[in-house]
Amino acid sequence: MKTKPKYIVIEDLNVIGMLKNKKLSKVIQEQSLREFRRQLDDASLNLRDYPIK
């Protein structure tokens, strides 16, 4: 792992498909993935060194 990465990569997840799985649905619904993405976007704008792709 590099100590100074050039960019941050976020994987798009098929959340709707995962919600159909009874074992995963409750856990996924409890996660605030959108809020995590928003905070990551804000942090990358503040740092300006790590654009999100």
Side-chain angles (χ1 to χ4, degrees):
M1 180 178 204
K2 292 185 176 184
T3 57
K4 293 194 176 198
K6 292 184 179 182
Y7 51 88
I8 299 171
V9 178
I10 298 176
E11 181 179 356
D12 289 332
L13 300 175
N14 180 9
V15 177
I16 294 173
M18 290 191 297
L19 287 175
K20 293 178 183 176
N21 183 331
K22 292 180 183 180
K23 293 180 181 179
L24 289 176
S25 64
K26 183 177 180 183
V27 175
I28 292 170
Q29 290 175 5
E30 291 174 355
Q31 301 300 314
S32 56
L33 299 175
R34 184 169 295 175
E35 178 64 18
F36 174 73
R37 172 63 190 256
R38 187 192 65 76
Q39 289 181 5
L40 195 57
D41 286 339
D42 291 345
S44 70
L45 289 175
N46 291 337
L47 295 175
R48 296 180 191 226
D49 291 337
Y50 305 111
I52 296 177
K53 292 187 177 193

mmCIF file of all heavy atoms in Angstrom:
data_model
loop_
_atom_site.group_PDB
_atom_site.id
_atom_site.type_symbol
_atom_site.label_atom_id
_atom_site.label_comp_id
_atom_site.label_asym_id
_atom_site.label_seq_id
_atom_site.Cartn_x
_atom_site.Cartn_y
_atom_site.Cartn_z
ATOM 1 N N MET A 1 0.842 -1.173 0.000
ATOM 2 C CA MET A 1 0.000 0.000 0.000
ATOM 3 C C MET A 1 0.891 1.242 0.000
ATOM 4 O O MET A 1 1.830 1.352 0.767
ATOM 5 C CB MET A 1 -0.896 -0.028 1.232
ATOM 6 C CG MET A 1 -1.800 1.127 1.346
ATOM 7 S SD MET A 1 -2.826 0.921 2.817
ATOM 8 C CE MET A 1 -4.179 1.904 2.354
ATOM 9 N N LYS A 2 0.547 2.162 -0.860
ATOM 10 C CA LYS A 2 1.300 3.414 -0.925
ATOM 11 C C LYS A 2 0.938 4.325 0.235
ATOM 12 O O LYS A 2 -0.193 4.338 0.708
ATOM 13 C CB LYS A 2 1.006 4.140 -2.235
ATOM 14 C CG LYS A 2 1.539 3.435 -3.448
ATOM 15 C CD LYS A 2 1.301 4.279 -4.668
ATOM 16 C CE LYS A 2 1.921 3.639 -5.877
ATOM 17 N NZ LYS A 2 1.788 4.470 -7.057
ATOM 18 N N THR A 3 1.905 5.090 0.676
ATOM 19 C CA THR A 3 1.629 6.018 1.767
ATOM 20 C C THR A 3 0.935 7.274 1.265
ATOM 21 O O THR A 3 0.227 7.930 2.012
ATOM 22 C CB THR A 3 2.927 6.410 2.494
ATOM 23 O OG1 THR A 3 3.833 6.964 1.555
ATOM 24 C CG2 THR A 3 3.539 5.201 3.167
ATOM 25 N N LYS A 4 1.112 7.608 -0.005
ATOM 26 C CA LYS A 4 0.447 8.779 -0.585
ATOM 27 C C LYS A 4 -0.225 8.369 -1.899
ATOM 28 O O LYS A 4 0.350 8.510 -2.976
ATOM 29 C CB LYS A 4 1.451 9.898 -0.842
ATOM 30 C CG LYS A 4 2.008 10.464 0.438
ATOM 31 C CD LYS A 4 2.706 11.758 0.191
ATOM 32 C CE LYS A 4 3.156 12.320 1.518
ATOM 33 N NZ LYS A 4 3.467 13.704 1.440
ATOM 34 N N PRO A 5 -1.450 7.875 -1.813
ATOM 35 C CA PRO A 5 -2.141 7.469 -3.046
ATOM 36 C C PRO A 5 -2.477 8.678 -3.913
ATOM 37 O O PRO A 5 -2.585 9.805 -3.419
ATOM 38 C CB PRO A 5 -3.410 6.797 -2.531
ATOM 39 C CG PRO A 5 -3.617 7.379 -1.184
ATOM 40 C CD PRO A 5 -2.255 7.696 -0.640
ATOM 41 N N LYS A 6 -2.655 8.434 -5.208
ATOM 42 C CA LYS A 6 -2.984 9.514 -6.139
ATOM 43 C C LYS A 6 -4.478 9.802 -6.163
ATOM 44 O O LYS A 6 -4.892 10.907 -6.471
ATOM 45 C CB LYS A 6 -2.508 9.169 -7.543
ATOM 46 C CG LYS A 6 -1.002 9.142 -7.650
ATOM 47 C CD LYS A 6 -0.590 8.900 -9.067
ATOM 48 C CE LYS A 6 0.931 8.891 -9.154
ATOM 49 N NZ LYS A 6 1.374 8.717 -10.521
ATOM 50 N N TYR A 7 -5.296 8.797 -5.877
ATOM 51 C CA TYR A 7 -6.739 8.989 -5.877
ATOM 52 C C TYR A 7 -7.405 7.912 -5.031
ATOM 53 O O TYR A 7 -6.798 6.919 -4.665
ATOM 54 C CB TYR A 7 -7.324 8.982 -7.293
ATOM 55 C CG TYR A 7 -6.917 7.800 -8.119
ATOM 56 C CD1 TYR A 7 -7.641 6.626 -8.094
ATOM 57 C CD2 TYR A 7 -5.804 7.859 -8.946
ATOM 58 C CE1 TYR A 7 -7.264 5.533 -8.841
ATOM 59 C CE2 TYR A 7 -5.420 6.783 -9.706
ATOM 60 C CZ TYR A 7 -6.158 5.619 -9.650
ATOM 61 O OH TYR A 7 -5.781 4.542 -10.400
ATOM 62 N N ILE A 8 -8.686 8.133 -4.718
ATOM 63 C CA ILE A 8 -9.497 7.201 -3.935
ATOM 64 C C ILE A 8 -10.502 6.566 -4.887
ATOM 65 O O ILE A 8 -11.145 7.251 -5.667
ATOM 66 C CB ILE A 8 -10.242 7.944 -2.815
ATOM 67 C CG1 ILE A 8 -9.240 8.600 -1.871
ATOM 68 C CG2 ILE A 8 -11.165 7.001 -2.060
ATOM 69 C CD1 ILE A 8 -9.874 9.531 -0.869
ATOM 70 N N VAL A 9 -10.661 5.258 -4.806
ATOM 71 C CA VAL A 9 -11.603 4.541 -5.665
ATOM 72 C C VAL A 9 -12.724 3.981 -4.793
ATOM 73 O O VAL A 9 -12.476 3.364 -3.763
ATOM 74 C CB VAL A 9 -10.903 3.384 -6.409
ATOM 75 C CG1 VAL A 9 -11.900 2.617 -7.251
ATOM 76 C CG2 VAL A 9 -9.773 3.910 -7.262
ATOM 77 N N ILE A 10 -13.958 4.217 -5.215
ATOM 78 C CA ILE A 10 -15.129 3.698 -4.513
ATOM 79 C C ILE A 10 -15.883 2.785 -5.470
ATOM 80 O O ILE A 10 -16.149 3.148 -6.615
ATOM 81 C CB ILE A 10 -16.064 4.844 -4.068
ATOM 82 C CG1 ILE A 10 -15.330 5.753 -3.098
ATOM 83 C CG2 ILE A 10 -17.320 4.282 -3.424
ATOM 84 C CD1 ILE A 10 -16.141 6.952 -2.695
ATOM 85 N N GLU A 11 -16.246 1.616 -4.985
ATOM 86 C CA GLU A 11 -16.956 0.649 -5.813
ATOM 87 C C GLU A 11 -18.464 0.902 -5.727
ATOM 88 O O GLU A 11 -19.006 1.119 -4.639
ATOM 89 C CB GLU A 11 -16.650 -0.768 -5.326
ATOM 90 C CG GLU A 11 -17.317 -1.844 -6.117
ATOM 91 C CD GLU A 11 -16.966 -3.225 -5.605
ATOM 92 O OE1 GLU A 11 -16.152 -3.348 -4.687
ATOM 93 O OE2 GLU A 11 -17.542 -4.191 -6.126
ATOM 94 N N ASP A 12 -19.130 0.896 -6.870
ATOM 95 C CA ASP A 12 -20.587 0.996 -6.884
ATOM 96 C C ASP A 12 -21.161 -0.372 -6.525
ATOM 97 O O ASP A 12 -20.749 -1.395 -7.069
ATOM 98 C CB ASP A 12 -21.099 1.411 -8.266
ATOM 99 C CG ASP A 12 -20.786 2.851 -8.580
ATOM 100 O OD1 ASP A 12 -20.682 3.647 -7.635
ATOM 101 O OD2 ASP A 12 -20.639 3.179 -9.766
ATOM 102 N N LEU A 13 -22.100 -0.390 -5.613
ATOM 103 C CA LEU A 13 -22.699 -1.638 -5.170
ATOM 104 C C LEU A 13 -24.127 -1.756 -5.678
ATOM 105 O O LEU A 13 -24.833 -0.766 -5.801
ATOM 106 C CB LEU A 13 -22.708 -1.703 -3.639
ATOM 107 C CG LEU A 13 -21.352 -1.635 -2.948
ATOM 108 C CD1 LEU A 13 -21.545 -1.576 -1.441
ATOM 109 C CD2 LEU A 13 -20.506 -2.818 -3.325
ATOM 110 N N ASN A 14 -24.536 -2.974 -5.950
ATOM 111 C CA ASN A 14 -25.913 -3.252 -6.355
ATOM 112 C C ASN A 14 -26.742 -3.412 -5.080
ATOM 113 O O ASN A 14 -27.058 -4.516 -4.653
ATOM 114 C CB ASN A 14 -25.962 -4.518 -7.199
ATOM 115 C CG ASN A 14 -27.366 -4.850 -7.648
ATOM 116 O OD1 ASN A 14 -28.284 -4.059 -7.467
ATOM 117 N ND2 ASN A 14 -27.541 -6.018 -8.223
ATOM 118 N N VAL A 15 -27.078 -2.283 -4.465
ATOM 119 C CA VAL A 15 -27.764 -2.293 -3.176
ATOM 120 C C VAL A 15 -29.153 -2.902 -3.307
ATOM 121 O O VAL A 15 -29.577 -3.673 -2.443
ATOM 122 C CB VAL A 15 -27.836 -0.872 -2.581
ATOM 123 C CG1 VAL A 15 -28.618 -0.864 -1.286
ATOM 124 C CG2 VAL A 15 -26.437 -0.339 -2.352
ATOM 125 N N ILE A 16 -29.858 -2.599 -4.363
ATOM 126 C CA ILE A 16 -31.211 -3.143 -4.548
ATOM 127 C C ILE A 16 -31.164 -4.664 -4.626
ATOM 128 O O ILE A 16 -31.979 -5.354 -4.023
ATOM 129 C CB ILE A 16 -31.871 -2.538 -5.798
ATOM 130 C CG1 ILE A 16 -32.103 -1.049 -5.570
ATOM 131 C CG2 ILE A 16 -33.193 -3.240 -6.103
ATOM 132 C CD1 ILE A 16 -32.604 -0.308 -6.784
ATOM 133 N N GLY A 17 -30.171 -5.190 -5.333
ATOM 134 C CA GLY A 17 -30.026 -6.636 -5.409
ATOM 135 C C GLY A 17 -29.657 -7.246 -4.068
ATOM 136 O O GLY A 17 -30.138 -8.325 -3.707
ATOM 137 N N MET A 18 -28.820 -6.555 -3.310
ATOM 138 C CA MET A 18 -28.426 -7.072 -1.996
ATOM 139 C C MET A 18 -29.573 -7.011 -1.002
ATOM 140 O O MET A 18 -29.639 -7.810 -0.073
ATOM 141 C CB MET A 18 -27.220 -6.300 -1.468
ATOM 142 C CG MET A 18 -25.958 -6.595 -2.242
ATOM 143 S SD MET A 18 -24.463 -5.963 -1.485
ATOM 144 C CE MET A 18 -24.746 -4.218 -1.506
ATOM 145 N N LEU A 19 -30.496 -6.065 -1.170
ATOM 146 C CA LEU A 19 -31.643 -5.970 -0.271
ATOM 147 C C LEU A 19 -32.595 -7.158 -0.438
ATOM 148 O O LEU A 19 -33.367 -7.462 0.460
ATOM 149 C CB LEU A 19 -32.391 -4.661 -0.482
ATOM 150 C CG LEU A 19 -31.689 -3.418 0.041
ATOM 151 C CD1 LEU A 19 -32.473 -2.170 -0.343
ATOM 152 C CD2 LEU A 19 -31.485 -3.485 1.539
ATOM 153 N N LYS A 20 -32.524 -7.822 -1.566
ATOM 154 C CA LYS A 20 -33.366 -8.992 -1.792
ATOM 155 C C LYS A 20 -32.882 -10.193 -0.976
ATOM 156 O O LYS A 20 -33.647 -11.115 -0.731
ATOM 157 C CB LYS A 20 -33.405 -9.335 -3.274
ATOM 158 C CG LYS A 20 -34.116 -8.278 -4.099
ATOM 159 C CD LYS A 20 -34.098 -8.620 -5.563
ATOM 160 C CE LYS A 20 -34.749 -7.506 -6.377
ATOM 161 N NZ LYS A 20 -34.667 -7.772 -7.813
ATOM 162 N N ASN A 21 -31.630 -10.165 -0.563
ATOM 163 C CA ASN A 21 -31.070 -11.229 0.263
ATOM 164 C C ASN A 21 -31.520 -11.000 1.705
ATOM 165 O O ASN A 21 -31.184 -9.992 2.321
ATOM 166 C CB ASN A 21 -29.543 -11.215 0.165
ATOM 167 C CG ASN A 21 -28.894 -12.330 0.935
ATOM 168 O OD1 ASN A 21 -29.411 -12.812 1.929
ATOM 169 N ND2 ASN A 21 -27.730 -12.733 0.485
ATOM 170 N N LYS A 22 -32.271 -11.936 2.261
ATOM 171 C CA LYS A 22 -32.846 -11.752 3.600
ATOM 172 C C LYS A 22 -31.773 -11.623 4.674
ATOM 173 O O LYS A 22 -31.961 -10.935 5.658
ATOM 174 C CB LYS A 22 -33.775 -12.912 3.931
ATOM 175 C CG LYS A 22 -35.026 -12.923 3.088
ATOM 176 C CD LYS A 22 -35.924 -14.070 3.431
ATOM 177 C CE LYS A 22 -37.126 -14.071 2.511
ATOM 178 N NZ LYS A 22 -38.045 -15.176 2.814
ATOM 179 N N LYS A 23 -30.643 -12.279 4.496
ATOM 180 C CA LYS A 23 -29.582 -12.219 5.499
ATOM 181 C C LYS A 23 -28.853 -10.878 5.475
ATOM 182 O O LYS A 23 -28.386 -10.404 6.496
ATOM 183 C CB LYS A 23 -28.577 -13.352 5.281
ATOM 184 C CG LYS A 23 -29.176 -14.720 5.541
ATOM 185 C CD LYS A 23 -28.165 -15.804 5.320
ATOM 186 C CE LYS A 23 -28.783 -17.166 5.553
ATOM 187 N NZ LYS A 23 -27.820 -18.240 5.328
ATOM 188 N N LEU A 24 -28.738 -10.264 4.305
ATOM 189 C CA LEU A 24 -28.013 -9.004 4.171
ATOM 190 C C LEU A 24 -28.890 -7.773 4.337
ATOM 191 O O LEU A 24 -28.394 -6.706 4.690
ATOM 192 C CB LEU A 24 -27.343 -8.926 2.790
ATOM 193 C CG LEU A 24 -26.156 -9.815 2.527
ATOM 194 C CD1 LEU A 24 -25.702 -9.647 1.082
ATOM 195 C CD2 LEU A 24 -25.026 -9.493 3.468
ATOM 196 N N SER A 25 -30.168 -7.894 4.080
ATOM 197 C CA SER A 25 -31.023 -6.707 3.966
ATOM 198 C C SER A 25 -31.047 -5.851 5.232
ATOM 199 O O SER A 25 -30.952 -4.634 5.144
ATOM 200 C CB SER A 25 -32.437 -7.092 3.562
ATOM 201 O OG SER A 25 -33.045 -7.870 4.567
ATOM 202 N N LYS A 26 -31.161 -6.460 6.393
ATOM 203 C CA LYS A 26 -31.230 -5.669 7.625
ATOM 204 C C LYS A 26 -29.924 -4.919 7.862
ATOM 205 O O LYS A 26 -29.928 -3.739 8.213
ATOM 206 C CB LYS A 26 -31.546 -6.566 8.808
ATOM 207 C CG LYS A 26 -31.705 -5.796 10.104
ATOM 208 C CD LYS A 26 -32.082 -6.699 11.248
ATOM 209 C CE LYS A 26 -32.225 -5.882 12.513
ATOM 210 N NZ LYS A 26 -32.517 -6.717 13.664
ATOM 211 N N VAL A 27 -28.810 -5.579 7.657
ATOM 212 C CA VAL A 27 -27.506 -4.959 7.883
ATOM 213 C C VAL A 27 -27.278 -3.814 6.904
ATOM 214 O O VAL A 27 -26.794 -2.746 7.279
ATOM 215 C CB VAL A 27 -26.380 -6.017 7.750
ATOM 216 C CG1 VAL A 27 -25.017 -5.377 7.864
ATOM 217 C CG2 VAL A 27 -26.552 -7.098 8.784
ATOM 218 N N ILE A 28 -27.659 -4.008 5.642
ATOM 219 C CA ILE A 28 -27.468 -2.975 4.623
ATOM 220 C C ILE A 28 -28.355 -1.770 4.905
ATOM 221 O O ILE A 28 -27.933 -0.624 4.739
ATOM 222 C CB ILE A 28 -27.730 -3.546 3.219
ATOM 223 C CG1 ILE A 28 -26.636 -4.549 2.879
ATOM 224 C CG2 ILE A 28 -27.788 -2.443 2.175
ATOM 225 C CD1 ILE A 28 -26.905 -5.353 1.645
ATOM 226 N N GLN A 29 -29.567 -2.013 5.350
ATOM 227 C CA GLN A 29 -30.474 -0.910 5.655
ATOM 228 C C GLN A 29 -29.972 -0.076 6.826
ATOM 229 O O GLN A 29 -30.222 1.124 6.888
ATOM 230 C CB GLN A 29 -31.872 -1.439 5.961
ATOM 231 C CG GLN A 29 -32.568 -1.990 4.745
ATOM 232 C CD GLN A 29 -33.898 -2.629 5.072
ATOM 233 O OE1 GLN A 29 -34.363 -2.583 6.210
ATOM 234 N NE2 GLN A 29 -34.509 -3.246 4.089
ATOM 235 N N GLU A 30 -29.242 -0.696 7.748
ATOM 236 C CA GLU A 30 -28.721 0.027 8.907
ATOM 237 C C GLU A 30 -27.495 0.876 8.555
ATOM 238 O O GLU A 30 -27.156 1.788 9.297
ATOM 239 C CB GLU A 30 -28.368 -0.953 10.020
ATOM 240 C CG GLU A 30 -29.579 -1.610 10.640
ATOM 241 C CD GLU A 30 -29.221 -2.688 11.638
ATOM 242 O OE1 GLU A 30 -28.025 -3.007 11.789
ATOM 243 O OE2 GLU A 30 -30.147 -3.224 12.264
ATOM 244 N N GLN A 31 -26.844 0.570 7.452
ATOM 245 C CA GLN A 31 -25.650 1.313 7.059
ATOM 246 C C GLN A 31 -26.067 2.634 6.417
ATOM 247 O O GLN A 31 -27.054 2.714 5.710
ATOM 248 C CB GLN A 31 -24.815 0.517 6.050
ATOM 249 C CG GLN A 31 -24.367 -0.811 6.565
ATOM 250 C CD GLN A 31 -23.517 -0.699 7.809
ATOM 251 O OE1 GLN A 31 -22.617 0.113 7.879
ATOM 252 N NE2 GLN A 31 -23.823 -1.514 8.793
ATOM 253 N N SER A 32 -25.287 3.644 6.664
ATOM 254 C CA SER A 32 -25.565 4.936 6.039
ATOM 255 C C SER A 32 -24.507 5.177 4.964
ATOM 256 O O SER A 32 -23.610 5.998 5.125
ATOM 257 C CB SER A 32 -25.575 6.048 7.087
ATOM 258 O OG SER A 32 -24.352 6.047 7.785
ATOM 259 N N LEU A 33 -24.615 4.422 3.878
ATOM 260 C CA LEU A 33 -23.613 4.478 2.811
ATOM 261 C C LEU A 33 -23.607 5.829 2.105
ATOM 262 O O LEU A 33 -22.562 6.324 1.716
ATOM 263 C CB LEU A 33 -23.858 3.348 1.812
ATOM 264 C CG LEU A 33 -23.769 1.936 2.390
ATOM 265 C CD1 LEU A 33 -24.149 0.910 1.331
ATOM 266 C CD2 LEU A 33 -22.389 1.662 2.931
ATOM 267 N N ARG A 34 -24.763 6.435 1.962
ATOM 268 C CA ARG A 34 -24.833 7.734 1.296
ATOM 269 C C ARG A 34 -24.130 8.802 2.123
ATOM 270 O O ARG A 34 -23.425 9.653 1.600
ATOM 271 C CB ARG A 34 -26.283 8.125 1.051
ATOM 272 C CG ARG A 34 -26.411 9.431 0.277
ATOM 273 C CD ARG A 34 -27.796 9.665 -0.178
ATOM 274 N NE ARG A 34 -28.135 8.622 -1.136
ATOM 275 C CZ ARG A 34 -29.315 8.453 -1.677
ATOM 276 N NH1 ARG A 34 -30.289 9.257 -1.368
ATOM 277 N NH2 ARG A 34 -29.559 7.489 -2.523
ATOM 278 N N GLU A 35 -24.305 8.743 3.436
ATOM 279 C CA GLU A 35 -23.645 9.702 4.323
ATOM 280 C C GLU A 35 -22.127 9.491 4.297
ATOM 281 O O GLU A 35 -21.357 10.455 4.282
ATOM 282 C CB GLU A 35 -24.166 9.554 5.755
ATOM 283 C CG GLU A 35 -23.512 10.465 6.756
ATOM 284 C CD GLU A 35 -23.754 11.942 6.501
ATOM 285 O OE1 GLU A 35 -24.689 12.306 5.768
ATOM 286 O OE2 GLU A 35 -22.983 12.753 7.041
ATOM 287 N N PHE A 36 -21.702 8.242 4.257
ATOM 288 C CA PHE A 36 -20.271 7.949 4.166
ATOM 289 C C PHE A 36 -19.689 8.527 2.875
ATOM 290 O O PHE A 36 -18.635 9.154 2.885
ATOM 291 C CB PHE A 36 -20.042 6.437 4.209
ATOM 292 C CG PHE A 36 -18.622 6.034 3.976
ATOM 293 C CD1 PHE A 36 -17.666 6.237 4.949
ATOM 294 C CD2 PHE A 36 -18.243 5.467 2.770
ATOM 295 C CE1 PHE A 36 -16.344 5.865 4.738
ATOM 296 C CE2 PHE A 36 -16.937 5.099 2.546
ATOM 297 C CZ PHE A 36 -15.979 5.301 3.540
ATOM 298 N N ARG A 37 -20.393 8.352 1.765
ATOM 299 C CA ARG A 37 -19.932 8.883 0.484
ATOM 300 C C ARG A 37 -19.870 10.417 0.519
ATOM 301 O O ARG A 37 -18.933 11.031 0.026
ATOM 302 C CB ARG A 37 -20.856 8.408 -0.640
ATOM 303 C CG ARG A 37 -20.614 9.028 -1.994
ATOM 304 C CD ARG A 37 -19.227 8.662 -2.508
ATOM 305 N NE ARG A 37 -18.872 9.407 -3.679
ATOM 306 C CZ ARG A 37 -18.870 8.930 -4.911
ATOM 307 N NH1 ARG A 37 -19.218 7.695 -5.132
ATOM 308 N NH2 ARG A 37 -18.518 9.699 -5.910
ATOM 309 N N ARG A 38 -20.881 11.050 1.124
ATOM 310 C CA ARG A 38 -20.896 12.501 1.211
ATOM 311 C C ARG A 38 -19.715 13.020 2.027
ATOM 312 O O ARG A 38 -19.038 13.968 1.629
ATOM 313 C CB ARG A 38 -22.207 12.988 1.835
ATOM 314 C CG ARG A 38 -22.366 14.509 1.792
ATOM 315 C CD ARG A 38 -23.500 14.992 2.665
ATOM 316 N NE ARG A 38 -23.275 14.752 4.075
ATOM 317 C CZ ARG A 38 -22.448 15.486 4.844
ATOM 318 N NH1 ARG A 38 -21.774 16.485 4.328
ATOM 319 N NH2 ARG A 38 -22.297 15.211 6.128
ATOM 320 N N GLN A 39 -19.450 12.376 3.148
ATOM 321 C CA GLN A 39 -18.333 12.801 3.986
ATOM 322 C C GLN A 39 -16.996 12.579 3.286
ATOM 323 O O GLN A 39 -16.081 13.394 3.405
ATOM 324 C CB GLN A 39 -18.358 12.072 5.325
ATOM 325 C CG GLN A 39 -19.483 12.525 6.206
ATOM 326 C CD GLN A 39 -19.497 11.825 7.534
ATOM 327 O OE1 GLN A 39 -18.609 11.054 7.859
ATOM 328 N NE2 GLN A 39 -20.516 12.103 8.332
ATOM 329 N N LEU A 40 -16.895 11.487 2.540
ATOM 330 C CA LEU A 40 -15.666 11.221 1.793
ATOM 331 C C LEU A 40 -15.467 12.262 0.693
ATOM 332 O O LEU A 40 -14.350 12.746 0.477
ATOM 333 C CB LEU A 40 -15.724 9.821 1.198
ATOM 334 C CG LEU A 40 -14.446 9.224 0.681
ATOM 335 C CD1 LEU A 40 -13.392 9.184 1.778
ATOM 336 C CD2 LEU A 40 -14.692 7.837 0.155
ATOM 337 N N ASP A 41 -16.543 12.637 0.023
ATOM 338 C CA ASP A 41 -16.466 13.695 -0.991
ATOM 339 C C ASP A 41 -16.019 15.020 -0.382
ATOM 340 O O ASP A 41 -15.167 15.706 -0.919
ATOM 341 C CB ASP A 41 -17.822 13.893 -1.686
ATOM 342 C CG ASP A 41 -18.153 12.778 -2.657
ATOM 343 O OD1 ASP A 41 -17.226 12.080 -3.106
ATOM 344 O OD2 ASP A 41 -19.346 12.627 -2.966
ATOM 345 N N ASP A 42 -16.614 15.366 0.757
ATOM 346 C CA ASP A 42 -16.249 16.617 1.428
ATOM 347 C C ASP A 42 -14.790 16.613 1.868
ATOM 348 O O ASP A 42 -14.081 17.607 1.704
ATOM 349 C CB ASP A 42 -17.140 16.862 2.640
ATOM 350 C CG ASP A 42 -18.574 17.188 2.264
ATOM 351 O OD1 ASP A 42 -18.816 17.505 1.073
ATOM 352 O OD2 ASP A 42 -19.447 17.135 3.147
ATOM 353 N N ALA A 43 -14.345 15.506 2.406
ATOM 354 C CA ALA A 43 -12.958 15.409 2.858
ATOM 355 C C ALA A 43 -11.997 15.526 1.690
ATOM 356 O O ALA A 43 -10.949 16.172 1.796
ATOM 357 C CB ALA A 43 -12.735 14.095 3.598
ATOM 358 N N SER A 44 -12.342 14.907 0.559
ATOM 359 C CA SER A 44 -11.439 14.969 -0.595
ATOM 360 C C SER A 44 -11.394 16.380 -1.178
ATOM 361 O O SER A 44 -10.357 16.812 -1.675
ATOM 362 C CB SER A 44 -11.855 13.968 -1.667
ATOM 363 O OG SER A 44 -13.063 14.358 -2.281
ATOM 364 N N LEU A 45 -12.504 17.109 -1.086
ATOM 365 C CA LEU A 45 -12.494 18.495 -1.559
ATOM 366 C C LEU A 45 -11.627 19.373 -0.665
ATOM 367 O O LEU A 45 -10.943 20.274 -1.142
ATOM 368 C CB LEU A 45 -13.915 19.048 -1.618
ATOM 369 C CG LEU A 45 -14.802 18.473 -2.712
ATOM 370 C CD1 LEU A 45 -16.218 19.018 -2.567
ATOM 371 C CD2 LEU A 45 -14.252 18.771 -4.069
ATOM 372 N N ASN A 46 -11.674 19.094 0.630
ATOM 373 C CA ASN A 46 -10.862 19.867 1.564
ATOM 374 C C ASN A 46 -9.380 19.584 1.383
ATOM 375 O O ASN A 46 -8.552 20.482 1.490
ATOM 376 C CB ASN A 46 -11.268 19.579 3.010
ATOM 377 C CG ASN A 46 -12.641 20.139 3.333
ATOM 378 O OD1 ASN A 46 -13.105 21.061 2.675
ATOM 379 N ND2 ASN A 46 -13.284 19.573 4.324
ATOM 380 N N LEU A 47 -9.045 18.335 1.116
ATOM 381 C CA LEU A 47 -7.637 17.970 0.950
ATOM 382 C C LEU A 47 -7.113 18.335 -0.434
ATOM 383 O O LEU A 47 -5.948 18.673 -0.595
ATOM 384 C CB LEU A 47 -7.448 16.472 1.197
ATOM 385 C CG LEU A 47 -7.725 15.999 2.612
ATOM 386 C CD1 LEU A 47 -7.618 14.484 2.670
ATOM 387 C CD2 LEU A 47 -6.759 16.622 3.592
ATOM 388 N N ARG A 48 -7.966 18.213 -1.431
ATOM 389 C CA ARG A 48 -7.645 18.492 -2.834
ATOM 390 C C ARG A 48 -6.517 17.632 -3.397
ATOM 391 O O ARG A 48 -6.086 17.836 -4.505
ATOM 392 C CB ARG A 48 -7.305 19.968 -3.036
ATOM 393 C CG ARG A 48 -8.465 20.862 -2.747
ATOM 394 C CD ARG A 48 -8.094 22.301 -2.956
ATOM 395 N NE ARG A 48 -9.137 23.139 -2.423
ATOM 396 C CZ ARG A 48 -9.623 24.171 -3.071
ATOM 397 N NH1 ARG A 48 -9.153 24.506 -4.230
ATOM 398 N NH2 ARG A 48 -10.568 24.884 -2.531
ATOM 399 N N ASP A 49 -6.020 16.706 -2.616
ATOM 400 C CA ASP A 49 -4.954 15.847 -3.092
ATOM 401 C C ASP A 49 -5.467 14.489 -3.565
ATOM 402 O O ASP A 49 -4.780 13.799 -4.292
ATOM 403 C CB ASP A 49 -3.930 15.612 -1.971
ATOM 404 C CG ASP A 49 -3.142 16.870 -1.648
ATOM 405 O OD1 ASP A 49 -3.072 17.746 -2.530
ATOM 406 O OD2 ASP A 49 -2.629 16.961 -0.530
ATOM 407 N N TYR A 50 -6.626 14.112 -3.099
ATOM 408 C CA TYR A 50 -7.134 12.762 -3.386
ATOM 409 C C TYR A 50 -8.503 12.817 -4.048
ATOM 410 O O TYR A 50 -9.520 12.700 -3.385
ATOM 411 C CB TYR A 50 -7.231 11.953 -2.086
ATOM 412 C CG TYR A 50 -5.944 11.886 -1.321
ATOM 413 C CD1 TYR A 50 -5.803 12.531 -0.111
ATOM 414 C CD2 TYR A 50 -4.860 11.172 -1.821
ATOM 415 C CE1 TYR A 50 -4.625 12.462 0.593
ATOM 416 C CE2 TYR A 50 -3.676 11.111 -1.122
ATOM 417 C CZ TYR A 50 -3.565 11.747 0.085
ATOM 418 O OH TYR A 50 -2.399 11.679 0.780
ATOM 419 N N PRO A 51 -8.552 13.013 -5.354
ATOM 420 C CA PRO A 51 -9.870 13.015 -6.024
ATOM 421 C C PRO A 51 -10.510 11.633 -5.959
ATOM 422 O O PRO A 51 -9.820 10.617 -5.948
ATOM 423 C CB PRO A 51 -9.527 13.395 -7.453
ATOM 424 C CG PRO A 51 -8.101 13.023 -7.617
ATOM 425 C CD PRO A 51 -7.460 13.177 -6.283
ATOM 426 N N ILE A 52 -11.815 11.599 -5.893
ATOM 427 C CA ILE A 52 -12.558 10.340 -5.832
ATOM 428 C C ILE A 52 -12.946 9.926 -7.240
ATOM 429 O O ILE A 52 -13.468 10.719 -8.000
ATOM 430 C CB ILE A 52 -13.797 10.483 -4.942
ATOM 431 C CG1 ILE A 52 -13.353 10.771 -3.517
ATOM 432 C CG2 ILE A 52 -14.668 9.258 -5.005
ATOM 433 C CD1 ILE A 52 -14.482 10.997 -2.566
ATOM 434 N N LYS A 53 -12.704 8.667 -7.567
ATOM 435 C CA LYS A 53 -13.074 8.133 -8.878
ATOM 436 C C LYS A 53 -14.040 7.001 -8.712
ATOM 437 O O LYS A 53 -14.047 6.295 -7.789
ATOM 438 C CB LYS A 53 -11.834 7.636 -9.614
ATOM 439 C CG LYS A 53 -10.929 8.772 -9.983
ATOM 440 C CD LYS A 53 -9.823 8.286 -10.847
ATOM 441 C CE LYS A 53 -8.975 9.478 -11.256
ATOM 442 N NZ LYS A 53 -8.072 9.185 -12.296
#
